[in-house]
Amino acid sequence: MQAKKKVNVNDVIAMKGTEKISVLTAYDYSTSLICDRAGVDILLVGDSAGMVVLGYQSTMPVGMPEMAMFCGAVARGAKRAMIVGDMPFGSYQPNTSVAVENAVQLIKAGCDAVKLEGGSEIIGTIKAIVDAGIPVMGHIGLKPQTSSLWEGYKLQGRTTVSAMKLVDDAKALEKARVFSIVLEMIASEVAEAITRRVSVPTIGIGSGAGCDGQVLVLHDMLGIYEDIRPKFVKRYAELSKSIFDAVSSYAREIKTGKFPEESNTFHLGPEELDKFRKVKKI
Ligand code: KIV
């Protein structure tokens, strides 16, 4: 069987205007294998892991050690998908050297690129990481790392002034040579306008169908994470119920002695069993 060619930065850029880009978050080896086999173009190791895997209230507490561990696990599972590692809050704010060092750490863990939240205010940082040879995915609109400190999780680009600021941010990111830009919870008309104005692909989350690609959090679209149910999430499965039913049956069958069954059990050969019984006087 021919090995599948790994998706790279040039492939992603070339998809703009020709083919929609599928992006999904992943945090571990087993789901990475499945998502990769299913043909997802980019696996984003999002710091949303902080909420859906680690149980924090926001993405803010997530640090580099956790992200490096998740990135390594996802990278080991994917053969074709490009792996983008999210830089957690605090890993790129102090100064550009810290940002480059941390970006390098995620690349060494197995990522093909990194993602940072922010527009014009972090252009210097993005340029430094790109100059170090690391592809960067931008992220504007709702910025979950800091939004809770300001106005909370709200639709972005609601006024002409704020919409124009988003267009300017996207243009600044393009100039800083990002290879794609996540547009999170931006009014669809504004996201569409940004998509038309930049040469790199836009990846929407809650920003309408006009973007060049779409991303969702795996645990949201599979119906595993139930704490928050954003309107923009389409549930492709209700795994929380399936997992609950399976685990309930397992626990019940242990109590009733139905599990393990004969088919789940190993035996000694007849001769050895005989010897064993004699020695042990069973
Ligand atoms: O952390 C994350 O999963 C993200 C996506 C929702 C874009 O940043």
Side-chain angles (χ1 to χ4, degrees):
M1 204 173 76
Q2 212 188 347
K4 282 185 188 156
K5 182 188 158 290
K6 180 113 176 147
V7 176
N8 63 34
V9 171
N10 289 342
D11 297 328
V12 173
I13 294 173
M15 285 186 206
K16 186 172 177 96
T18 60
E19 183 185 343
K20 293 275 185 180
I21 303 161
S22 56
V23 187
L24 199 52
T25 67
Y27 317 101
D28 70 289
Y29 171 77
S30 303
T31 48
S32 167
L33 264 180
I34 299 169
C35 298
D36 188 59
R37 277 210 318 263
V40 173
D41 298 313
I42 301 178
L43 289 177
L44 168 64
V45 188
D47 62 356
S48 48
M51 298 172 76
V52 304
V53 179
L54 301 176
Y56 294 127
Q57 291 288 309
S58 74
T59 59
M60 180 81 82
V62 181
M64 279 299 297
E66 300 95 293
M67 286 309 296
M69 191 182 68
F70 292 136
C71 287
V74 171
R76 287 188 285 277
K79 300 276 171 292
R80 174 188 171 269
M82 177 185 209
I83 312 295
V84 178
D86 221 355
M87 296 198 59
F89 185 67
S91 69
Y92 56 97
Q93 284 82 358
N95 57 55
T96 53
S97 324
V98 168
V100 173
E101 263 171 38
N102 284 322
V104 166
Q105 207 183 314
L106 294 189
I107 298 297
K108 288 196 174 188
C111 292
D112 304 304
V114 298
K115 175 170 84 61
L116 283 73
E117 292 181 9
S120 316
E121 73 284 6
I122 58 159
I123 288 305
T125 308
I126 291 179
K127 277 187 182 155
I129 298 173
V130 174
D131 284 347
I134 298 172
V136 172
M137 177 183 264
H139 182 154
I140 56 172
L142 184 79
K143 293 172 279 185
Q145 290 176 359
T146 48
S147 59
S148 57
L149 301 174
W150 298 88
E151 58 166 5
Y153 290 8
K154 284 211 173 126
L155 182 68
Q156 305 293 301
R158 298 187 299 276
T159 63
T160 302
V161 172
S162 64
M164 286 318 295
K165 164 85 172 86
L166 288 170
V167 174
D168 290 346
D169 279 342
K171 294 296 290 177
L173 290 175
E174 177 190 39
K175 209 165 158 221
R177 292 177 291 137
V178 299
F179 74 95
S180 58
I181 308 171
V182 168
L183 304 181
E184 182 157 355
M185 255 182 101
I186 295 177
S188 58
E189 297 79 3
V190 180
E192 217 180 302
I194 294 172
T195 302
R196 272 198 311 271
R197 280 173 171 75
V198 293
S199 58
V200 292
T202 58
I203 309 294
I205 174 160
S207 300
C211 300
D212 297 306
Q214 297 292 326
V215 58
L216 281 179
V217 168
L218 182 72
H219 290 52
D220 286 343
M221 59 84 82
L222 290 181
I224 301 176
Y225 183 70
E226 314 237 82
D227 293 6
I228 306 172
R229 261 183 105 140
K231 164 188 158 103
F232 60 75
V233 172
K234 178 172 174 183
R235 294 238 190 181
Y236 286 82
E238 294 297 340
L239 287 200
S240 158
K241 186 181 175 325
S242 307
I243 295 170
F244 178 86
D245 289 347
V247 173
S248 305
S249 300
Y250 169 74
R252 198 172 46 245
E253 289 193 1
I254 291 173
K255 298 279 181 204
T256 59
K258 196 163 174 229
F259 176 81
E261 298 172 17
E262 181 54 30
S263 60
N264 312 116
T265 307
F266 300 100
H267 294 288
L268 287 173
E271 248 177 62
E272 211 51 47
L273 180 60
D274 207 38
K275 267 197 242 166
F276 180 65
R277 281 189 170 142
K278 278 182 193 140
V279 172
K280 289 277 179 194
K281 301 195 175 30
I282 299 169

